Amino acid sequence: MGFFGTLKSHLVATESLPPKVGWTRVTTNESEEPVHMSKKGVEHLVSVVEDPQYSDVSEEPYIDLEVRLTPEEALYRHTSRWYKLKRFLWDGADKHPLEQQYLLKLDFFLLSSSCLGYFIKSLNQFNITTAYMNGMEEYYSMDNNQYNYMTALFTVGYVIGQIPSNLVLHRLSARYYLGGLEVLWAFLTVLMILCGRNNIHSLYAIRFVLGLLESGYFPGLEWLLGSNYSTDELSKRSALFAVSGSVSGIVSGPLQQLIIERFGASSLPPFKWMFVFDAIISFPVGIYTMFVDPNTPSTTDAWYFTEQDRLVGLERRRRIGAELTTRTPFTWAKVKTFFGTWHIYVFPLLFLAFNNTCSAIGQPTFQSWMKITLGKPSEIYNLYPSYLKVAGIIVTLGFAYGNDFLGGRKNASFIALYFVCLVVGCALLAHWDIPQWWHWTSFYLVGVPTAWGQPFIFSWVNRLLFKNDMKRSFVVVVTNTLAYVTGAWVPIVVWNTNDQPEYHLGFTYTAYLALFGLIMTLVAYHLTQRDERLARELGQAQLLLKSRQETELYM
């Protein structure tokens, strides 16, 4: 093949499915239990299948993952509290040993690389707010809304890059593309350190390019999670992915305070030391992602998956009726069909409401109240926002594990709770003239729930659209993009830094937007219930028709 041919095969990650022709019983290792897999399945695992609908031609399994329990084991699983606890903490406990082995590898490598990447991406964004509160404002003389201009330019780049990035991800190996983005973030963060006191426009330009390069990461990872996990496994994995971003919010403030104490006398301003640490962290995470990201089950070439593991990955998708191929070309005729269902209209509006209401705590509202109104020192206003993030992580993981344990179908309830909290908290802060303890309560009401809204929205999208990979990918990207279209200019109007710390317009706007989000949640829930009811009725009708046909055949 040659060097360039080999390089291209790795960068493109060719999609391949093993042919399902007949059956044979094989043993991969003398010490292992024999398993069922398709004849020549292992040998032809790397064969390229031209027809994108190939995965739907046959209902034959790629490998036998049926769990056959003895009466004693079935009784143990039904009565043992220890087993039920294990099942709650890890949903692989009740699966076939081969699937358990596969899921352990997937959880470790995919989640570790995804969470580390999202951590450094979010840390990059949190550090701008932290830097603004710890010297950037004075260093660049940001006395005329320059902070929001910088945020807006980042968001413009983010919006522009979303759909092109998604198209690239469907042509390149996810491991190299996503890992390469992380390495580029590190390089651009170093350039931010070099922007001098009178060169804020260079900082604007770098933030724009960073937004452009970060745009593909979040929707790409949400799509990748939905491509590897089943519908009742998604909530907790999406939550772990989301809270890794919240962890960066926990780290950002204390890290800045530590830098102030250790590097306060340095010739480099303390807020720029934050960018140094960003770059130091980002580079090795990017290399790690290139090394361990598994891609999708049909394109994986991960070194830690055996040929048997690859069959398990494909069979997991086949069993839930998911589309196996993830490289179907985007065509305008195909995209037009996506606009014939409600998902493309409702979920983008729902996520817009979520994403934009997060500004109630994403803007330096909590910090400026403590700094200006309460007169607290930096060790207070840098550290206390971390407590909100810790509380949000704990609550989010509890909700996510509970949701998956119950079948992964309670997304609407948790999303509705998010918007209720935001309506109440923002209404109180918009009034502002309230007792101090109400201020603390209100900031927790608008700060803690932001951790759980995102994973429940995107795991809902992945759960509903798993049978159509292209549509699922497209809806994820459009859902994420629309939120940032308004996020590019609305903060300049409603979160004007000249209004700090009260932000009356910002909190009022957010309260009404949260109410709109609550309405969209109810709409999405109603339409989901309607579709599921129609699907059940269609299934019953098909069974009845099949029964009649079989009866007529034997009469």
Side-chain angles (χ1 to χ4, degrees), residues 26 92 114 139 173 179 280 298 309 354 360 367 403 417 436 491 531:
V26 302
S114 302
Y139 184 84
S173 168
I280 291 173
S298 61
D309 287 331
F354 162 76
Q367 296 98 316
N403 186 48
L417 179 60
Q436 189 177 119
D531 288 353

Side-chain angles (χ1 to χ4, degrees), residues 15-17 47-58 62 298 323-329:
E15 188 161 49
S16 60
L17 301 175
S47 65
V48 178
V49 179
E50 300 293 340
D51 184 1
Q53 300 302 318
Y54 175 84
S55 58
D56 299 324
V57 172
S58 173
Y62 288 97
S298 61
E323 185 176 3
L324 294 181
T325 54
T326 57
R327 291 294 174 85
T328 305

Side-chain angles (χ1 to χ4, degrees), residues 438-555:
W438 266 117
H439 275 279
W440 289 106
T441 302
S442 298
F443 278 116
Y444 269 81
L445 280 174
V446 302
V448 172
T450 56
W452 78 67
Q454 173 184 298
F456 280 105
I457 292 173
F458 281 99
S459 62
W460 195 357
V461 173
N462 276 315
R463 177 169 68 85
L464 293 183
L465 302 179
F466 66 90
K467 290 187 177 181
N468 188 331
D469 184 79
M470 186 189 298
K471 181 179 179 180
R472 178 171 61 87
S473 174
F474 188 78
V475 172
V476 166
V477 171
V478 173
T479 297
N480 195 52
T481 301
L482 184 62
Y484 287 91
V485 170
T486 55
W489 59 272
V490 168
I492 298 175
V493 178
V494 303
W495 295 107
N496 193 312
T497 52
N498 294 322
D499 296 336
Q500 61 180 329
E502 295 191 18
Y503 293 110
H504 173 74
L505 180 59
F507 287 122
T508 302
Y509 161 79
T510 305
Y512 281 108
L513 185 60
L515 183 60
F516 171 75
L518 181 61
I519 293 171
M520 296 309 298
T521 303
L522 297 177
V523 170
Y525 175 74
H526 167 73
L527 294 173
T528 299
Q529 294 295 104
R530 183 204 65 180
D531 288 353
E532 290 178 349
R533 174 176 53 80
L534 292 175
R536 287 194 299 270
E537 292 175 356
L538 178 62
Q540 292 170 356
Q542 290 174 335
L543 287 174
L544 180 61
L545 178 62
K546 182 178 180 181
S547 177
R548 288 178 177 175
Q549 290 173 339
E550 290 176 348
T551 301
E552 292 173 358
L553 181 65
Y554 289 102
M555 285 183 64

Side-chain angles (χ1 to χ4, degrees), residues 244-288:
S244 64
S246 297
V247 170
S248 64
I250 296 173
V251 170
S252 184
L255 179 59
Q256 180 67 82
Q257 184 58 35
L258 181 63
I259 288 171
I260 291 174
E261 295 172 357
R262 297 292 179 89
F263 298 95
S266 170
S267 59
L268 188 69
F271 76 87
K272 288 196 174 186
W273 277 104
M274 291 287 286
F275 304 150
V276 173
F277 281 94
D278 268 350
I280 291 173
I281 296 171
S282 298
F283 184 76
V285 170
I287 300 301
Y288 178 70

